Amino acid sequence: MKICIIIDSYKLSKTYISACKARGFECIHVQSTPQPLTYFAAASTYQPADYIANLTYQGNINLLLSQLKSYSVMCVIPSTEPAVNLADQLSEALHVTTNGSRLSSARRNKFLMAETIKKANLLTASHCKSHDPSVLISCAKKKKQWPIVLKQI
């Protein structure tokens, strides 16, 4: 049986499960924190019965791997942005197709994402980072392009 692990399957769980089942996969849910992430709970479509197993990550990747050893895991999908780090670690440890964990932070932090793109000599939006509003205003004035987008990091 082909297995897809979905981490923190809250909002898009039905979409992911349908896509996986259409391709011959069964799904295992892994919750990345001992308690569900509260800011996703209200809109959650998660149903434990949709999965052949429901596991909770306790901060120990080896424990999680031992719980998964009897399954033929083919892929790991983070269903939420906070699940990215665990998905990267788990996919590496399971030796399935992975983004790898080396750039996990660049997939979660918009400034690091833009810097990573820039270092690869790809086009990216101009950007700056500061905790000082006057520095941000100065950066915006130098760009002379409007509108601008501010992102919390």
Side-chain angles (χ1 to χ4, degrees), residues 25-61:
F25 285 82
E26 291 294 331
C27 298
I28 293 176
H29 179 252
V30 173
Q31 185 173 293
S32 70
T33 56
Q35 298 299 317
L37 299 170
T38 56
Y39 45 92
F40 291 112
S44 180
T45 60
Y46 169 73
Q47 294 292 320
D50 291 336
Y51 301 87
I52 63 167
N54 294 279
L55 307 172
T56 300
Y57 177 62
Q58 301 291 338
N60 182 332
I61 195 78

Side-chain angles (χ1 to χ4, degrees), residues 21-151:
K21 289 191 183 245
R23 289 161 179 83
F25 285 82
E26 291 294 331
C27 298
I28 293 176
H29 179 252
V30 173
Q31 185 173 293
S32 70
T33 56
Q35 298 299 317
L37 299 170
T38 56
Y39 45 92
F40 291 112
S44 180
T45 60
Y46 169 73
Q47 294 292 320
D50 291 336
Y51 301 87
I52 63 167
N54 294 279
L55 307 172
T56 300
Y57 177 62
Q58 301 291 338
N60 182 332
I61 195 78
N62 291 323
L63 175 61
L64 185 56
L65 289 168
S66 72
Q67 294 171 316
L68 294 166
K69 70 181 173 189
S70 64
Y71 297 101
S72 180
V73 177
M74 307 295 285
C75 59
V76 180
I77 300 172
S79 183
T80 63
E81 186 270 338
V84 167
N85 288 343
L86 180 56
D88 288 348
Q89 291 172 32
L90 189 55
S91 60
E92 275 185 334
L94 291 167
H95 306 289
V96 298
T97 301
T98 181
N99 287 323
S101 58
R102 187 175 64 84
L103 293 174
S104 294
S105 59
R107 284 187 283 286
R108 297 193 67 208
N109 177 306
K110 301 304 181 209
F111 179 77
L112 292 176
M113 184 183 298
E115 287 293 298
T116 301
I117 292 168
K118 185 176 168 182
K119 286 177 186 170
N121 294 316
L122 299 172
L123 293 178
T124 184
S126 60
H127 55 279
C128 68
K129 174 184 169 185
S130 178
H131 294 286
D132 182 345
S134 64
V135 171
L136 297 174
I137 291 168
S138 176
C139 286
K141 286 180 178 178
K142 285 178 189 174
K143 301 299 177 206
K144 297 181 183 177
Q145 293 176 329
W146 300 95
I148 62 166
V149 176
L150 298 176
K151 291 269 197 186

